[in-house]
Amino acid sequence: MISETEKQAFVWIWLPGETEPVVAGRLEADNGTIQFNYGKSYLDRIHDIPPAIPVYEPELPLRAGVLPLPEGLTMPGCIRDAAPDAWGRRVILNKKFGRKGAVSDTAEIDELTYLLESGSDRIGALDFQQSSTEYIPRAAGNVSLEELMASAERVEKGVPLTPELDQALFHGTSIGGARPKALVQDHGKKYIAKFSSSTDLYNVVKAEYVAMRIYGSNNLSRLKTCLKTAHNFLLSEEEARNIFDKLITTIEEHWETVCEEAGLNKVDKQLLWRRQFLNPYSVEQ
């Protein structure tokens, strides 16, 4: 059995308008949970410019001491959101254990280790370090898309990567999601490269491309966008609106029942409702 355990990690944050991060607080593993408390130096910045801000105020408000976990969670949800998901975890297992990583359960490495082993070039304004005084970014080199595609296949098969490919694919560990991906830099811009998986039943990557192209250059997830492109799907405006109304009504009528079936706790329901599901911005017509 593969196992690796970290006991603590420090959360670094980029404050608004800043290009260098500062340490915000510490995560500590304790009897199967991971708890967070802000550092005194960070709390003392409350009157600085820019001032200290909460990592996520509903869960981690700016106050001293260990902050209680939301009901049903073993670590703050906002911190878990910054951790690698299925694909990033497989890359980390491959990097640390080679072929043995392919047949290992991703749960055999603890959450703090995943945070500390994932790339620093993540989406969002957080990073995780072993030090509270020195920030050392976990960066990676740049390689071609062709090389990255080959390395993604090797990870799925559990084949160890060359050091160059290992470092390049390592970029994708901090993005989140279950699909193979990496961050690529080209001419001063950064792109998320997503690859097909050997387990795909159809070309998911191309399907996502088509979906993100639903009207011209407008790829916003809004019903207004769907309405503008309805004619491309041989739908009249009235037919499209009827579909919208039916879907919205169905979600509203069954939300509580489905959440109960899934065993979703109150905190998760609040995080999803009117955010991921029926966000007011998305359903404006």
Side-chain angles (χ1 to χ4, degrees):
M1 174 178 173
I2 298 170
S3 63
E4 186 155 324
T5 301
E6 292 285 350
K7 296 297 183 183
Q8 69 175 14
F10 292 92
V11 179
W12 290 68
I13 187 171
W14 279 262
L15 294 172
E18 296 296 294
T19 58
E20 297 294 332
V22 296
V23 67
R26 183 180 68 164
L27 294 166
E28 184 173 8
D30 180 32
N31 293 323
T33 64
I34 295 175
Q35 297 179 312
F36 175 83
N37 67 282
Y38 287 104
K40 184 179 183 301
S41 62
Y42 188 71
L43 293 173
D44 288 344
R45 295 179 61 98
I46 193 68
H47 300 298
D48 289 1
I49 300 178
I53 59 174
V55 173
Y56 178 55
E57 191 165 16
E59 282 189 315
L60 302 178
L62 279 178
R63 64 171 184 253
V66 175
L67 299 177
L69 289 169
E71 182 182 353
L73 298 185
T74 58
M75 67 184 296
C78 58
I79 299 296
R80 176 61 184 85
D81 283 347
D85 288 324
W87 170 248
R89 292 171 185 241
R90 290 182 66 180
V91 173
I92 291 170
L93 282 170
N94 180 288
K95 177 181 178 179
K96 297 183 73 64
F97 305 114
R99 282 190 178 276
K100 288 187 290 186
V103 296
S104 299
D105 184 348
T106 56
E108 293 184 12
I109 289 182
D110 69 287
E111 292 293 338
L112 287 185
T113 299
Y114 279 123
L115 290 172
L116 291 169
E117 290 289 337
S118 60
S120 292
D121 199 0
R122 67 185 65 250
I123 307 300
L126 301 180
D127 195 16
F128 306 92
Q129 300 275 311
Q130 290 180 319
S131 171
S132 63
T133 57
E134 183 181 17
Y135 178 76
I136 304 175
R138 297 178 296 281
N142 204 36
V143 298
S144 69
L145 282 174
E146 290 76 15
E147 291 174 296
L148 285 172
M149 289 175 68
S151 65
E153 293 176 1
R154 291 170 70 91
V155 166
E156 287 200 316
K157 295 176 181 177
V159 179
L161 301 175
T162 64
E164 295 77 18
L165 290 177
D166 175 81
Q167 282 300 303
L169 203 63
F170 172 69
H171 254 322
T173 61
S174 57
I175 305 174
R179 300 196 56 75
K181 62 180 67 69
L183 281 175
V184 180
Q185 184 167 323
D186 183 53
H187 293 93
K189 293 185 177 181
K190 292 183 178 180
Y191 302 89
I192 295 177
K194 299 183 75 173
F195 312 110
S196 296
S197 170
S198 60
T199 59
D200 287 347
L201 298 178
Y202 62 94
N203 197 314
V204 175
V205 174
K206 290 184 178 179
E208 287 187 357
Y209 173 83
V210 171
M212 293 180 68
R213 292 292 293 176
I214 296 206
Y215 181 69
S217 60
N218 183 352
N219 60 4
L220 299 178
S221 298
R222 305 187 70 189
L223 294 185
K224 283 184 178 180
T225 304
C226 298
L227 195 61
K228 288 179 180 178
T229 194
H231 63 277
N232 290 319
F233 296 89
L234 304 181
L235 292 171
S236 68
E237 181 175 326
E238 182 181 1
E239 289 172 322
R241 289 187 182 277
N242 287 337
I243 292 173
F244 298 163
D245 292 341
K246 183 177 180 180
L247 288 173
I248 291 171
T249 300
T250 300
I251 293 172
E252 290 177 336
E253 289 180 349
H254 297 282
W255 171 253
E256 292 294 335
T257 301
V258 173
C259 288
E260 187 175 342
E261 289 177 358
L264 210 62
N265 62 51
K266 183 178 180 181
V267 172
D268 287 341
K269 285 171 61 177
Q270 290 177 340
L271 289 174
L272 293 175
W273 187 240
R274 303 296 183 189
R275 292 178 175 84
Q276 296 295 327
F277 292 87
L278 299 189
N279 185 300
Y281 175 79
S282 69
V283 297
E284 285 180 359
Q285 298 186 44

